Amino acid sequence: MPNAQILVNWLLIGSFYAAVALGFSLVWGIMNIVNLAHGSLLILGAYVAYFAFTALHLNPFIGIILAMLALFVVGWLIQYIAINRVIRAPLLVTFMLTFGLDLLITNLAQQFFTANNRAINSSLAGVNLTLGAIVIPVQNVLAALIAVLLTAALSLFLARTRTGNAILAVGMDRDAARLMGINIARTYALTFALGAALAGAAGAMLAMTLQFQPVDAGQYTLFAFVIVALGGLGTPWGALAGGLLFGLATTLSGSIQAIGPGLQTTVAFAVLVLVLVLRPRGVLGKAFYS
Amino acid sequence: MNPSTTSAREGAPSAPEQAAALLAVAGLDTGYGDTQVLWDVGLEVRRGEVVALVGANGAGKSTLLAAISGLVPAWAGAIRFAERDITHTGAERIVKQGLIHVPQGRRLFPGLAVEENLKLGAYTRRAGSPTALATDLERVYTLLPKLAERRAQAAGSLSGGEQQMCAIGRGLMARPALLMIDELSLGLAPNIVDTILAAIDEIHRHEGLAVLLVEQDVQIALERADRGYVIENGRIVSTGTGAELLRSTTVRAAYLGE
């Protein structure tokens, strides 16, 4: 494979990985919840986009918006019904709760949607730009641009709006935020819903560019975890940096013949272990917004 | 006990006083988990009044403020503010009524800029127009010019004195009727304390802001207060005007090293 092709593949998959981790990083940073159901929310988003395309014949990019809206609602409900009850409990309790949610969603998805591999085969799916020997899939480029756009939008929302600042304030000091008159339960619901909506967007991108099935959920939670460990639990740009770093690891290892693309999850684990041993705060990591 | 001070152990103030009170705490018990910190605490602040709450480290001063602002739930007793019962009202809803708590240790949002911290102080005033927000920001910058210089800087990078200014400014942004300040002077140079107190005094004199000042520095607090309360081991043990308490032999012996 020519080096330029590796570069293109890296940027495309790296941006997708950023989208995978964006919502996970937000929820962890603000609420101190490691959301083990993140991957299953992502897969739900993939199904929303898939059925929007196959049943409603909607453009896959409209499917991204639909997936975000649907998952926003799902996230809000999960937060209000379940997570708000244990928000002051130790980390292990939210760990168990989101793990249970992950199993529940994955199994329901398997029950209703079967374990078949799915993918959206839109008219754009086979369209490539070719530059000499380099092949650039148009749909993946658009998905990558949307991923970067979502990162920028989230970053601007948090930094520049009243509600965004309130979310950051809650993440930094919950009691002080209450003394500003910020409603913690509502802010958490909004944060979790946004995290789920971003997972939904990543899921829709997954449906457009790769294949998926319910049991893939765990793999994407793992990816999100590694990406956040790489980029650090900081700003949305940390998720993008982590996504690109993780993309670099998987693309390079996939292009090395002795390793090959089949060992992606192994590479993910190896990278995670390396980072945790060498730089526990992440390669670019700094403490959350401080 | 010094004859010039009256015991407040009974807690409940007399009826005419209660009618005029902006904040009235009566018979308050509270604590954390199984540990009771406050016993039968009674305290009141009238409109436009400066009241000092003094006592040793661990006497329960901060717990009392946290109970009033709704961060710590009351076990027994009643808290009324502006003729409303707020005993079981959540902290975020008490803020809207104009009762503002500047907590010990400043508790700024370290990663946010000074101006963003100040704007969060006005968070509940959603109805207020953007011009009202800008006017209030200018007012805080005029009172505390140091904050104007630092407006774009992260609050976490400020010096201790500047952080306290930012915390007070953030409290003022809520347009409070009563500002409760926990340990204003702790760890600050005297000239910084004077600057901050002068700013608060300005709002107090011109807009009738009531202040509940919690201090370990008894001299600073009682000199400026209309009235004061002394708290020991979770109980109010003495109350009187600021001048009376400063003259009191027990206060002088216990807190001023005489």
Side-chain angles (χ1 to χ4, degrees):
Chain A
M1 199 170 358
N3 288 338
Q5 183 70 56
I6 294 176
L7 181 75
V8 168
N9 292 356
W10 165 46
L11 290 175
L12 293 179
I13 197 74
S15 312
F16 168 66
Y17 285 150
V20 168
L22 208 48
F24 184 80
S25 162
L26 177 72
V27 168
W28 192 352
I30 301 293
M31 302 169 66
N32 199 25
I33 286 177
V34 177
N35 178 18
L36 295 180
H38 184 76
S40 55
L41 294 173
L42 186 148
I43 294 293
L44 276 188
Y47 277 107
V48 172
Y50 176 79
F51 288 120
F53 176 75
T54 54
L56 305 174
H57 309 292
L58 290 171
N59 182 303
F61 290 96
I62 297 192
I64 294 181
I65 296 168
L66 276 183
M68 288 185 79
L69 289 174
L71 268 292
F72 185 91
V73 174
V74 170
W76 190 289
L77 289 176
I78 290 177
Q79 167 65 21
Y80 240 94
I81 294 166
I83 295 177
N84 250 344
R85 293 169 198 278
V86 298
I87 197 70
R88 281 174 189 275
L91 192 64
L92 190 65
V93 176
T94 53
F95 228 73
M96 294 297 286
L97 179 65
T98 56
F99 183 60
L101 275 172
D102 181 67
L103 292 177
L104 180 70
I105 296 171
T106 304
N107 282 294
L108 284 177
Q110 210 148 28
Q111 181 68 33
F112 289 109
F113 307 143
T114 78
N116 291 344
N117 255 323
R118 316 264 190 170
I120 292 176
N121 290 306
S122 75
S123 53
L124 262 179
V127 181
N128 295 318
L129 290 174
T130 45
L131 288 172
I134 310 163
V135 182
I136 306 173
V138 172
Q139 194 159 247
N140 296 48
V141 173
L142 291 174
L145 285 177
I146 291 171
V148 175
L149 210 71
L150 284 175
T151 309
L154 179 64
S155 180
L156 280 175
F157 168 71
L158 292 175
R160 297 285 164 82
T161 68
R162 173 176 175 274
T163 309
N165 270 338
I167 289 176
L168 291 179
V170 169
M172 289 173 200
D173 189 332
R174 189 157 62 186
D175 276 347
R178 290 186 74 196
L179 291 179
M180 302 299 108
I182 298 167
N183 183 317
I184 303 296
R186 205 174 302 152
T187 306
Y188 276 167
L190 177 62
T191 306
F192 198 83
L194 276 176
L198 290 165
M205 291 174 202
L206 167 67
M208 280 166 62
T209 56
L210 296 161
Q211 291 186 328
F212 69 95
Q213 54 168 311
V215 291
D216 290 343
Q219 176 187 311
Y220 287 103
T221 302
L222 171 68
F223 284 1
F225 195 90
V226 178
I227 292 158
V228 169
L230 282 169
L233 195 61
T235 60
W237 298 111
L240 184 62
L244 287 172
L245 281 171
F246 184 58
L248 187 66
T250 56
T251 313
L252 282 182
S253 66
S255 69
I256 296 168
Q257 234 148 37
I259 302 176
L263 290 173
Q264 227 179 25
T265 316
T266 315
V267 170
F269 268 123
V271 169
L272 177 63
V273 170
L274 269 180
V275 169
L276 291 180
V277 168
L278 299 175
R279 283 208 52 137
R281 299 181 85 190
V283 172
L284 306 166
K286 52 175 189 171
F288 182 72
Y289 265 95
S290 60
Chain B
M1 184 172 291
N2 191 297
S4 65
T5 63
T6 53
S7 170
R9 273 181 196 257
E10 291 80 9
S14 62
E17 275 178 341
Q18 204 158 25
L22 177 61
L23 172 72
V25 180
L28 180 70
D29 288 357
T30 190
Y32 304 94
D34 295 331
T35 315
Q36 185 162 356
V37 178
L38 297 181
W39 280 269
D40 193 27
V41 167
L43 171 147
E44 64 166 63
V45 180
R46 295 167 207 151
R47 289 187 189 278
E49 198 178 32
V50 177
V51 172
L53 176 66
V54 298
N57 214 351
K61 304 187 296 292
S62 296
T63 305
L64 176 52
L65 290 201
I68 295 171
S69 63
L71 287 178
V72 173
W75 293 0
I79 306 169
R80 293 182 64 79
F81 181 75
E83 272 92 61
R84 273 191 224 164
D85 183 15
I86 57 162
T87 316
H88 302 291
T89 308
E92 59 281 341
R93 288 174 51 215
I94 289 176
V95 173
K96 283 183 195 153
Q97 303 179 20
L99 172 49
I100 301 300
H101 177 186
V102 178
Q104 186 176 3
R106 277 82 78 162
R107 304 287 286 267
L108 297 175
F109 304 111
L112 296 180
V114 167
E115 186 150 308
E116 289 168 336
N117 270 275
L118 293 176
K119 282 182 176 169
L120 279 169
Y123 181 80
T124 54
R125 290 169 45 217
R126 162 168 257 169
S129 66
T131 41
L133 189 70
T135 311
D136 285 4
L137 267 177
E138 276 319 306
R139 182 179 74 144
V140 169
Y141 287 147
T142 312
L143 284 168
L144 300 162
K146 201 83 196 172
L147 291 181
E149 288 171 35
R150 301 269 185 262
R151 67 171 80 190
Q153 206 170 310
S157 69
L158 299 179
S159 72
E162 291 163 349
Q163 286 194 11
Q164 187 63 284
M165 288 180 196
C166 189
I168 301 286
R170 191 176 65 174
L172 291 175
M173 288 296 290
R175 287 203 165 267
L178 170 61
L179 193 63
M180 305 193 295
I181 308 168
D182 199 353
E183 300 294 5
L184 183 145
S185 71
L186 193 66
L188 303 185
N191 62 328
I192 306 255
V193 174
D194 287 343
T195 307
I196 297 174
L197 284 172
I200 295 166
D201 196 46
E202 175 88 11
I203 308 276
H204 164 64
R205 277 187 289 115
H206 290 101
E207 296 170 33
L209 172 72
V211 181
L212 178 56
L213 201 56
V214 169
E215 269 293 337
Q216 273 183 304
D217 191 325
V218 172
Q219 187 83 35
I220 283 184
L222 291 180
E223 264 176 9
R224 285 162 180 84
D226 298 312
R227 291 186 308 112
Y229 292 85
V230 181
I231 186 168
E232 263 173 32
N233 298 319
R235 290 181 163 88
I236 301 284
V237 294
S238 160
T239 178
T241 67
E244 280 167 359
L245 288 175
L246 266 181
R247 283 197 305 272
S248 144
T249 46
T250 40
V251 169
R252 299 199 76 82
Y255 303 108
L256 297 168
E258 289 176 14

